[in-house]
Amino acid sequence: MSEQVTSAEAVRVRFCPSPTGNPHVGMIRTALFNWAFARHTGGTFVFRIEDTDSARDSEESYNALLDSLRWLGLDWDEGPEVGGEYGPYRQSDRLPVYTEVAKRLSDGGFAYHCYCSSDELEERRELAKSEGRTPGYDGKCRDLSHDQVEAYEDEGRDPVLRFRMPDRDFEWDDLVRGSITFGAEHVPDYVLVRGNGEPLYPLVNPVDDALMRITHVLRGEDLLSSTPRQIALYEALAAIGVSDGTTPRFGHLPYVMGAGNRKLSKRDPESSLLMYRETGYLPEALLNYLALLGWSMGDDQEFFSKEQMAEVFTLERVNQNPARFDLKKCTAINGDWIRSLAPAELVQRIIPFLIAKNLVPRPPTAQQLAILEVAAPLIQERMENLSQSVDMLAFLLLPPERFVVDEADRGVLGVEAAPTLTAARSVLAELPHWKTDAIHEALRLALVDGLDLKPKLAFTPLRVAITGRRISPPLFESMEILGKSVCLARLDAAIGGG
Ligand code: GLU
Ligand code: ZN
């Protein structure tokens, strides 16, 4: 039996997604835990791209993966664009390696050619089921005679390469789930290489883990059933001199559940990483939330950076129970992160969203930056995501010809509002000091005292006229930022039926 790595050995972990579709949060949670474990132990975080399935993999998805990890700040020590001693790190660039290993496995008797067609396999599976047997591959081609092989070859069949599973149970001490055993009958011989020569995940993944000297495999629980196969393959790889004889430790991270107690699926909108980025979740917040899916700080602390996580990250604190993905909680944590930013930093984070909506140019003017620095703290308190800043700040940035009162709130500016707006306009026109307090005081005197209006009744039409909406950042501060002439012009427009 191969030895398991000891803690004294330098940790090498890997994140090895397949570039299909858009990155999703479950995959990022796996990346984060591996990253944190590597950083905590002073080990190496390897990023490998498992792109041997040319029908499903895409360059677009590959780029999205790299871009996402960079956006999140999950830096890798070896991998694409970074290089490393054990490269290349894209499996599509390693095909000769797999061909060679497959040949050695076959020569050594650890794998054999299987000529069964998929129809034949299906038929036998059905038969096994109907007879109450476990419906895995039945070993039919394990020991074909020379004549049988020739007959199949003459028929023009392309054989797959199958791994010969040892006929015994497999057990390992899972880093998260403790002792796990798979009975031999549940791990049938499996396909390593397709008939067309394409090597498959069950081969390439452990081969690269061995060649890249991976010490700990931390991955989702959905891969649990491939672990006994991989342990068996590792033993064969040691026998043919591909691995150094050590088998990595395995730890299976708990499922992430979505709504209705189903596993969160790639198709659920809240699983798309892109959605968070486009909506304006901070990468810090998203990682913070994902860290809580199956791990905890231990002292009920739920607000922390990935660096703080890495500082204390141990596998003992990884929970084996399924974690529930809660978008509300994720959003609340994002709000906390937004509030933790210094105003200048918040402005920098908001700017891309304003640019995307054509509210400021790239880069914004000095005057716009000044406006944003004053305005950002005003909305910081109630922001849940950065894209909300667009609606909240538009009225401060729009040129006169693009400013419009929100359709839904236009009713507030009907005829009955006219006296209030007119009174406000005349007192503001006379105001010598255009400052928040002075504006507030003048309007209070003119409207609340002068017209005997309740503050809410007095200020709502004013707010809609000036900001374009019934709900806005604080009114008098906003008026100071906008300046006197803009405010008077907006009041004129509102009084004029605007
Ligand atoms: N490429 C595999 C996947 O994305 C990696 C699984 C593993 O970590 O072993 O599911
Ligand atoms: Zn067969």
Side-chain angles (χ1 to χ4, degrees), residues 354-407:
L354 301 177
I355 292 175
K357 292 290 177 198
N358 200 18
L359 283 171
V360 297
R362 182 196 312 267
T365 66
Q367 193 205 355
Q368 288 167 334
L369 283 176
I371 289 177
L372 291 174
E373 286 241 358
V374 188
L378 302 179
I379 62 168
Q380 193 163 16
E381 207 46 49
R382 45 178 124 161
M383 255 169 54
E384 288 182 323
N385 62 57
L386 296 173
S387 65
Q388 289 171 337
S389 64
V390 170
D391 280 349
M392 291 178 178
L393 296 178
F395 76 98
L396 291 172
L397 299 164
L398 285 170
E401 67 279 7
R402 280 176 63 200
F403 173 79
V404 280
V405 171
D406 204 64
E407 186 76 48

Side-chain angles (χ1 to χ4, degrees), residues 151-306:
Y152 280 138
E153 294 281 345
D154 287 347
E155 282 177 38
R157 296 192 185 212
D158 285 328
V160 301
L161 186 67
R162 253 184 218 283
F163 186 71
R164 191 188 297 273
M165 275 299 291
D167 292 317
R168 59 162 222 263
D169 296 351
F170 276 85
E171 189 183 352
W172 75 94
D173 183 19
D174 195 273
L175 293 161
V176 175
R177 313 186 61 80
S179 171
I180 296 190
T181 308
F182 273 79
E185 70 281 15
H186 295 295
V187 199
D189 295 354
Y190 60 94
V191 181
L192 298 171
V193 182
R194 283 213 175 97
N196 64 7
E198 208 170 73
L200 296 174
Y201 164 79
L203 173 69
V204 299
N205 176 278
V207 164
D208 282 347
D209 284 350
L211 292 175
M212 296 179 182
R213 300 284 182 262
I214 297 304
T215 59
H216 296 74
V217 171
L218 307 177
R219 60 183 176 187
E221 190 179 330
D222 49 320
L223 290 156
L224 198 66
S225 63
S226 64
T227 302
R229 301 167 171 194
Q230 297 189 353
I231 293 175
L233 179 57
Y234 255 95
E235 292 169 8
L237 292 177
I240 61 171
V242 171
S243 99
D244 65 359
T246 52
T247 299
R249 303 283 316 264
F250 289 87
H252 290 88
L253 309 175
Y255 282 121
V256 178
M257 310 301 284
N261 238 16
R262 281 180 305 103
K263 259 171 54 188
L264 189 67
S265 127
K266 274 190 185 185
R267 283 170 297 278
D268 292 323
E270 70 268 35
S271 78
S272 152
L273 184 68
L274 207 63
M275 182 281 278
Y276 294 93
R277 195 168 170 180
E278 284 172 354
T279 312
Y281 284 71
L282 307 188
E284 295 94 326
L286 191 59
L287 290 179
N288 185 165
Y289 180 66
L290 293 180
L292 299 173
L293 297 179
W295 182 78
S296 62
M297 270 273 179
D299 53 3
D300 288 339
Q301 196 188 326
E302 294 203 321
F303 183 83
F304 50 81
S305 67
K306 69 180 193 304

Side-chain angles (χ1 to χ4, degrees), residues 114-116 121 124 137 140-141 162:
C114 162
Y115 291 86
C116 302
L121 292 173
R124 273 151 43 209
Y137 183 72
K140 180 158 190 283
C141 302
R162 253 184 218 283

